[in-house]
Amino acid sequence: MNTHDTLKDAQRRWAEICATSDVGLWWIADDVRQLWPGAPEEQIRLETLRAIRPLLNDGSLRAVNLLPGGSYQPWEGSVDEHLARIDAEWAALKRPPDLGDIVWFIGTR
């Protein structure tokens, strides 16, 4: 199986999990890191953004802030704006995202 097929499998799994739970950016980035072992963090960031774009576009993932009590606040703006925000905030971290950093994803509910 090539990386493209494995990425498609990961994308399907993310969409399935997000249908019933929330997933942090750090978790998706860790999956991408496993697909590109040894890749520099810059590449992981770019590959992660590429991987989530189609899921944001088709609504399988929605970018949200996790609020106290477990409720969500959806991000405003377009998918391109969401990706630009994630990219900028990730770059500003100067490290891989960790639990609670930047964004959470949920699916359609």
Side-chain angles (χ1 to χ4, degrees):
M1 186 177 298
N2 63 37
T3 302
H4 179 264
D5 292 336
T6 307
L7 178 60
K8 288 292 184 190
D9 290 341
Q11 288 169 314
R12 277 191 291 276
R13 189 175 72 254
W14 302 335
E16 288 171 5
I17 292 169
C18 284
T20 59
S21 187
D22 50 66
V23 170
L25 175 63
W26 63 274
W27 189 80
I28 291 175
D30 281 350
D31 274 1
V32 171
R33 207 170 278 108
Q34 290 176 28
L35 295 172
W36 283 273
E41 193 60 24
E42 172 74 12
Q43 180 182 354
I44 298 303
R45 188 173 88 235
L46 294 174
E47 297 297 343
T48 301
L49 293 170
R50 282 189 198 113
I52 62 175
R53 176 182 287 280
L55 300 173
L56 290 169
N57 278 330
D58 73 11
S60 297
L61 297 184
R62 293 186 304 153
V64 300
N65 292 322
L66 185 59
L67 302 175
S71 60
Y72 305 101
Q73 177 186 30
W75 281 18
E76 299 290 328
S78 69
V79 169
D80 285 339
E81 290 169 324
H82 294 177
L83 291 169
R85 178 178 169 184
I86 293 166
D87 187 37
E89 291 187 25
W90 191 337
L93 283 175
K94 299 187 187 302
R95 61 171 171 74
D98 202 352
L99 180 65
D101 284 339
I102 305 172
V103 63
W104 290 89
F105 299 103
I106 60 172
T108 54
R109 301 199 177 151

